[in-house]
Amino acid sequence: EIVMTQSPATLSVSPGERATLSCRASQSVTSNLAWYQQKPGQAPRLLIYGASTRATGIPARFSGSGSGTEFTLTISSLQSEDFAVYYCQQYNDWPTFGQGTKVEIK
Amino acid sequence: EVQLVESGGGLVKPGGSLRLSCEASGFTFSSYTMNWVRQAPGRGLEWVSSISGKSSFIYYADSVRGRFTVSRDNPKNSLFLQVNSLRAEDTAVYYCARVPSGSYSDYWGQGTLVTVSS
């Protein structure tokens, strides 16, 4: 099983600031990585797939980068609606998720 | 508009069974692999099972293999998860989700809660 490790567990950011979230895979997943956003009481929402391709309707302030074992989700200027939990998921092998990063208001 | 609506969750005793359903609309259901993903209360996401469009390929997580069975009825645009021999650790919200390619999910239902408790 490929283990996905996200850091930090919690990120405190002020509105308008940049947020950088990390995801590391225990072995290479090439570019088979997705990012999701989840708000309380809601289903996850796909943000990024293929490590860097934004899903339909996702604002340009969300960007993904990386390949192999190291990945980053960047939110260029945090809006109020962006405070949520973010998960990475690899799909190079049996799908596995990271434990999540909570982005909270500073 | 793509919509996925789960149902069938509830409170069940350890060792019990449930049949979860997911009704799909807004897309050609038979053309897509579908996932079941679960989330225990206050925890992260866990992939449970995948089934290809024509049911040719079916996969399960080790944690549920032998106890859960996924199936689909394409003419009725429906996905199912039969969950047997339930354990306390199966308590979770169960989501169905569409797979556009690979094994990531682009559309998710709102989930159905399964609670296993005596």
Side-chain angles (χ1 to χ4, degrees), chain A residues 81-98:
Chain A
E81 61 266 30
D82 300 335
F83 292 97
V85 178
Y86 293 82
Y87 294 96
C88 62
Q89 180 220 330
Q90 66 79 20
Y91 50 96
N92 198 61
D93 192 14
W94 303 116
T96 50
F97 293 85

Side-chain angles (χ1 to χ4, degrees), chain B residues 6 8 11 34 42 61 82 88 114 116:
Chain B
E6 301 94 336
L11 175 62
M34 298 294 293
Q82 178 69 38
V114 172
V116 184

